[in-house]
Amino acid sequence: MKILITGANGQLGTELRHLLDENQIEYVGTDAAELDITNADAVTTYFEKNKPELVYHCAAYTAVDAAEEEPGKSINYKVNVVGTQNIANAAEAIGATLVYISTDYVFDGTNDQMYTEETPAAPKNEYGRTKLAGEEAVANTMSKYYIIRTSWVFGEYGKNFVYTMLNLAKTHDHLTVVSDQVGRPTWTRTLAEFMLYAVQNDVPYGLYQLSNDNSCTWYEFASEILKDKDLEVSPVTSDEYPQKAFRPRHSIMDLTKIKATGFEVPTWQDALQKFMAKID
């Protein structure tokens, strides 16, 4: 099977490449320098020439706060909406399967219960709006697709909350972290493993939600990350830590559908422990 990875040098794309390498699965990886996904003609030409049968669409604009203002808003839309539509059009034209990564930010955070795949989306920031539009582009264009919503992503190969906390711990003896936003952390390794699992095990096409199991606040997540460090971590409210982009206060995604596929979902605590052992 001819496999294409867009955004191959990003946090998730790099994790996925390593996983495919470990499994001796051949693929071609592209990033913006090799394929400008916002250029419809370039995407069509690339797909017609190379004819990938499976596309892991990892390319995305993920600067959540920058997406609220120009030029971030424009780039965010071009990459996450226009680029995804271009990829979907080209993939469908040659009969490929598409795997698209979305986010818990498609939800508004007002639901005290877990969000299922059937819960109506209501994004309240620009990033969430464009990722939802990307979902719609895939679902309305593709015959064979997986849309995978994820949340609070951390991994070995890019900037993320875990690295931020560890770096701050080197220069601070006291940190404050938001304690009124609740969600589920996701290790890129777990996400990449399901992306591979879905295809290899003929999981039914459609929309899925994948994170590590169990939930926490950012404060609880930070406390676990820094539990062996000599510093104090204190909780603060979102109002005490203002950000440009709205963050859902409660975005725990239901994992029932993903577990029904037979995929084993580790807890975020187990995932974090394995990740920390890798980077030590």
Side-chain angles (χ1 to χ4, degrees):
M1 177 180 286
K2 297 182 69 174
I3 298 173
L4 170 66
I5 303 173
T6 69
N9 294 325
Q11 180 170 228
L12 176 59
T14 304
E15 186 79 71
L16 181 60
R17 287 193 292 109
H18 282 269
L19 179 61
L20 295 180
D21 287 340
E22 291 170 22
N23 286 272
Q24 299 183 323
I25 297 173
E26 294 185 358
Y27 61 87
V28 173
T30 64
D31 220 320
E34 294 83 25
L35 179 62
D36 178 3
I37 66 170
T38 68
N39 184 324
D41 290 339
V43 173
T44 298
T45 298
Y46 185 94
F47 274 60
E48 288 178 345
K49 178 181 178 180
N50 295 282
K51 291 184 168 50
E53 299 165 84
L54 170 63
V55 182
Y56 288 115
H57 184 32
C58 300
Y61 184 84
T62 58
V64 177
D65 288 313
E68 295 296 309
E69 299 180 358
E70 298 290 355
K73 186 180 293 186
S74 175
I75 299 171
N76 176 53
Y77 182 84
K78 287 179 181 178
V79 174
N80 292 346
V81 183
V82 176
T84 297
Q85 184 67 71
N86 291 340
I87 292 291
N89 288 342
E92 179 65 13
I94 61 171
T97 297
L98 179 61
V99 181
Y100 171 73
I101 308 303
S102 190
T103 173
D104 63 322
Y105 284 11
V106 301
F107 298 120
D108 62 12
T110 61
N111 188 348
D112 289 335
Q113 306 302 314
M114 291 187 289
Y115 289 88
T116 72
E117 286 81 356
E118 287 72 39
T119 304
K124 295 187 68 175
N125 62 36
E126 289 299 317
Y127 172 69
R129 292 184 188 103
T130 59
K131 293 303 287 184
L132 178 60
E135 288 187 16
E136 293 166 348
V138 172
N140 293 334
T141 304
M142 297 297 303
S143 303
K144 300 180 292 184
Y145 68 89
Y146 298 99
I147 295 170
I148 307 173
R149 290 176 182 157
T150 192
S151 59
W152 295 24
V153 176
F154 68 94
E156 187 175 355
Y157 305 107
K159 296 179 180 178
N160 57 72
F161 183 77
V162 177
Y163 281 146
T164 297
M165 291 297 103
L166 292 174
N167 287 332
L168 287 173
K170 296 175 183 177
T171 56
H172 294 69
D173 55 15
H174 179 233
L175 296 177
T176 57
V177 183
V178 170
S179 63
D180 58 0
Q181 295 174 21
V182 184
R184 294 188 190 271
T186 308
W187 186 18
T188 50
R189 181 72 181 196
T190 304
L191 179 54
E193 286 176 346
F194 179 73
M195 293 165 71
L196 180 58
Y197 177 92
V199 174
Q200 290 186 332
N201 291 274
D202 295 321
V203 169
Y205 297 123
L207 171 63
Y208 293 86
Q209 298 182 157
L210 184 281
S211 66
N212 287 110
D213 212 346
N214 293 345
S215 60
C216 61
T217 65
W218 288 110
Y219 165 72
E220 290 168 334
F221 192 21
S223 297
E224 186 67 18
I225 294 165
L226 301 173
K227 65 181 181 180
D228 295 326
K229 305 296 182 182
D230 185 21
L231 81 164
E232 180 184 1
V233 183
S234 301
V236 294
T237 66
S238 297
D239 292 338
E240 295 174 87
Y241 189 77
Q243 295 174 291
K244 291 180 181 178
F246 173 86
R247 264 70 171 180
R249 298 294 179 91
H250 189 280
S251 62
I252 302 175
M253 296 188 299
D254 191 298
L255 305 180
T256 301
K257 186 175 179 180
I258 212 93
K259 291 179 179 179
T261 69
F263 181 73
E264 294 187 9
V265 183
T267 66
W268 69 261
Q269 293 95 331
D270 287 343
L272 178 64
Q273 183 179 30
K274 291 179 180 178
F275 168 72
M276 297 286 279
K278 289 187 68 170
I279 65 172
D280 277 347

